[in-house]
């Protein structure tokens, strides 16, 4: 049995679907099972990673788990997993930890989660992807209102990855002894700026989209107004304005582990086009 935490999220949802399609025993952990539509063959169970005591039922009979990082008591979650008999944990981290400054809140969050996994006594594998193509969903509201996309960090290219590909790698490594103790850095197939993604999305949607870079002060105010904690807003600006993090390197890991190239942004956009219409 494989437990997938964050099953209602972009990576977790893809992973549950892929494991179920492979007819592997999979259990989806969500806060509200009534709001989650599981694929055929998948179990669904309620639980909250911020409350390790709520995971008892979810962990029963689990051999391996896909784990999100950054929760309040990662050691407690992992101790519960070990006590329940879980043998292997695959952690979703970020490649920003590689050479990252621990004073940066995003780096510190992922470094702390990785340390908890390494010290848990469980066999572990860490996935360190680049930024997600699915962050483009942040443009949905603007595209419902018109054809102008405004986004921050306009000059910053990112080798963004489709969450489908992260899930495909996770499906390969879960429960596989040869990946124990390994950290895999992942990326998409091309480093693109927001304007390039907007151009591709315009082609897919057949709409005359126009991209405008958002001034830094406006972007900061908008993030804070949307409830992003200030320490994380500061972290993003350290990454993409101060230049602390280069998310452009293109890596062969997805193809090496899955046997196929990573999906392009156009692939992602065509798959999710209806979300922008």
């Amino acid at each position: 049995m494989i437990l997938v935490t964050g099953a209602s999220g972009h990576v977790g949802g893809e992973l549950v679907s892929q494991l179920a399609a492979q007819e592997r025993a999979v259990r989806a952990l969500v806060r509200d099972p009534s709001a989650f539509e599981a694929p055929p063959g998948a179990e669904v169970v309620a639980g909250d990673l911020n409350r390790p005591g709520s995971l008892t039922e979810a962990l029963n009979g689990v051999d391996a788990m896909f784990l999100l990082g950054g929760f309040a008591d990662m050691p407690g979650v992992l101790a519960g997993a070990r006590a329940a008999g879980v043998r292997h944990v695959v952690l979703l981290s970020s490649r920003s930890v590689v050479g990252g400054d621990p004073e940066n809140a995003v780096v510190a969050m992922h470094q702390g989660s990785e340390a908890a996994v390494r010290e848990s006594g469980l066999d572990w594998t860490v996935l360190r992807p680049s930024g997600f193509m699915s962050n483009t969903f942040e443009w949905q509201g603007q595209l419902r209102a018109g054809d102008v996309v405004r986004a921050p960090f306009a000059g910053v290219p990112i080798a963004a990855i489709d969450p489908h590909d992260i899930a495909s790698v996770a499906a390969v490594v879960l429960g596989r002894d040869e990946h124990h103790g390994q950290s895999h850095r992942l990326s998409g197939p091309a480093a693109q700026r927001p304007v390039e993604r907007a151009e591709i999305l315009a082609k897919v949607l057949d709409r005359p989209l126009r991209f405008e870079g958002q001034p830094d002060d406006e972007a900061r105010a908008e993030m804070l107004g949307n409830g992003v904690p200030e320490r994380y807003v500061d972290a993003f600006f350290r990454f993409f304005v101060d230049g602390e993090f280069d998310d452009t390197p293109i890596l062969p890991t997805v193809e090496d582990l899955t046997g196929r190239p990573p999906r392009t942004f156009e692939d992602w956009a065509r798959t999710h086009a209806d979300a922008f219409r």
Side-chain angles (χ1 to χ4, degrees):
M1 175 63 70
I2 296 169
L3 177 67
V4 176
T5 71
S8 60
H10 296 144
V11 179
E14 291 276 7
L15 181 55
V16 171
S17 294
Q18 291 184 34
L19 293 173
Q22 295 169 14
E23 298 185 345
R24 297 170 71 179
V26 56
R27 182 178 295 156
L29 179 73
V30 294
R31 288 192 177 95
D32 181 6
S34 67
F36 181 74
E37 185 175 349
E43 296 181 16
V44 183
V45 65
D48 184 344
L49 288 171
N50 276 319
R51 296 186 297 112
S54 72
L55 305 177
T56 301
E57 179 184 354
L59 290 166
N60 184 39
V62 168
D63 299 300
M65 68 185 297
F66 176 77
L67 181 62
L68 303 185
F71 287 85
D73 185 8
M74 295 295 292
V77 170
L78 291 157
R82 184 178 181 185
V86 175
R87 294 180 296 168
H88 183 208
V89 59
V90 174
L91 176 71
L92 181 62
S93 183
S94 163
R95 67 177 182 173
S96 66
V97 303
V98 181
D101 186 340
E103 293 185 359
N104 180 297
V106 171
V107 172
M109 176 189 72
H110 289 298
Q111 286 181 339
S113 297
E114 289 194 14
V117 165
R118 288 193 299 269
E119 295 164 6
S120 68
L122 296 165
D123 289 320
W124 55 266
T125 306
V126 173
L127 303 184
R128 294 170 171 167
S130 58
F132 294 2
M133 292 179 182
S134 55
N135 290 340
T136 309
F137 282 131
E138 295 171 356
W139 299 353
Q140 282 177 297
Q142 296 183 71
L143 293 184
R144 281 193 289 267
D147 291 326
V148 177
V149 172
R150 291 171 59 79
F153 316 130
V156 179
I158 293 175
I161 187 169
D162 189 334
H164 178 93
D165 289 330
I166 303 171
S168 296
V169 170
V172 168
V173 305
L174 275 159
R176 296 269 294 274
D177 292 354
E178 61 266 36
H179 296 285
H180 291 176
Q182 300 294 312
S183 298
H184 297 301
R185 289 194 295 162
L186 313 174
S187 81
Q192 296 168 319
R193 295 170 297 149
V195 65
E196 293 165 315
R197 288 188 284 128
E199 290 169 352
I200 293 168
L201 194 57
K203 172 187 171 183
V204 169
L205 299 177
D206 192 24
R207 288 176 57 179
L209 303 185
R210 187 173 81 255
F211 180 83
E212 296 179 358
Q214 194 174 24
D216 289 345
D217 56 350
E218 179 184 311
R220 178 182 288 274
E222 183 175 298
M223 291 178 193
L224 292 170
N226 288 335
V228 180
E230 186 172 7
R231 66 186 184 280
Y232 293 128
V233 174
D234 289 342
F236 297 141
F237 274 78
R238 289 177 62 162
F239 281 163
F240 301 126
V241 175
D242 299 342
E244 280 190 8
F245 176 39
D246 178 9
D247 208 7
T248 62
I250 297 165
L251 304 172
T253 322
V254 170
E255 185 166 10
D256 290 346
L257 293 177
T258 68
R260 59 164 181 79
R263 294 186 175 191
T264 66
F265 182 74
E266 184 170 345
D267 294 331
W268 181 90
R270 292 194 183 282
T271 299
H272 299 282
D274 286 347
F276 296 95
R277 293 192 171 109

